[in-house]
Amino acid sequence: MKSAHDLVTEAKTHITEIDLDTAEAAIREADVVLDVREADEFHAGHIPGAVNVPRGLLEFKLSNTPELSARDLKIVLYCKTSGRAALAACSLHDMGYLQVQSIEGGFDAWSAADKAVVTPSLPTFE
């Protein structure tokens, strides 16, 4: 039986994973940057311009959002450390998306390298 680690390792052999320096240029050229982490992770901080579509909803959201249906969209994906993004990139490839890239090391690597991060401020209701 395969573990989650096995699935991620296998997925990474089938996807395009980009380093942080390449990621900055790819993000500028992307049609969409997808953060596949959970909503609470996204709201704690994310890459500027990213759209949050949690991994568990990804295929459904893309299938039901006309703006994301074009298979030639330039898509950059990331998650916390790159595992969920690798699995997501495989799924998008299986769905026919042609230009999908995943950020190596994910958001943790991005923020550790002092790259730009958006941290939304939410109102207090006290």
Side-chain angles (χ1 to χ4, degrees), residues 16-29:
T16 301
E17 198 169 42
I18 54 176
D19 63 31
L20 294 178
D21 292 330
T22 305
E24 286 185 304
I27 287 169
R28 284 192 299 275
E29 296 174 11

Side-chain angles (χ1 to χ4, degrees), residues 1-65:
M1 181 167 84
K2 291 183 182 180
S3 68
H5 177 74
D6 295 334
L7 293 172
V8 169
T9 300
E10 183 177 329
K12 287 186 176 194
T13 67
H14 301 289
I15 67 167
T16 301
E17 198 169 42
I18 54 176
D19 63 31
L20 294 178
D21 292 330
T22 305
E24 286 185 304
I27 287 169
R28 284 192 299 275
E29 296 174 11
D31 294 308
V32 65
V33 178
L34 296 177
D35 182 326
V36 297
R37 298 176 299 156
E38 295 300 314
D40 61 328
E41 294 174 287
F42 180 79
H43 291 296
H46 57 271
I47 294 174
V51 175
N52 182 225
V53 180
R55 171 69 192 99
L57 300 174
L58 185 67
E59 295 84 354
F60 300 103
K61 278 283 197 193
L62 268 64
S63 293
N64 294 308
T65 306

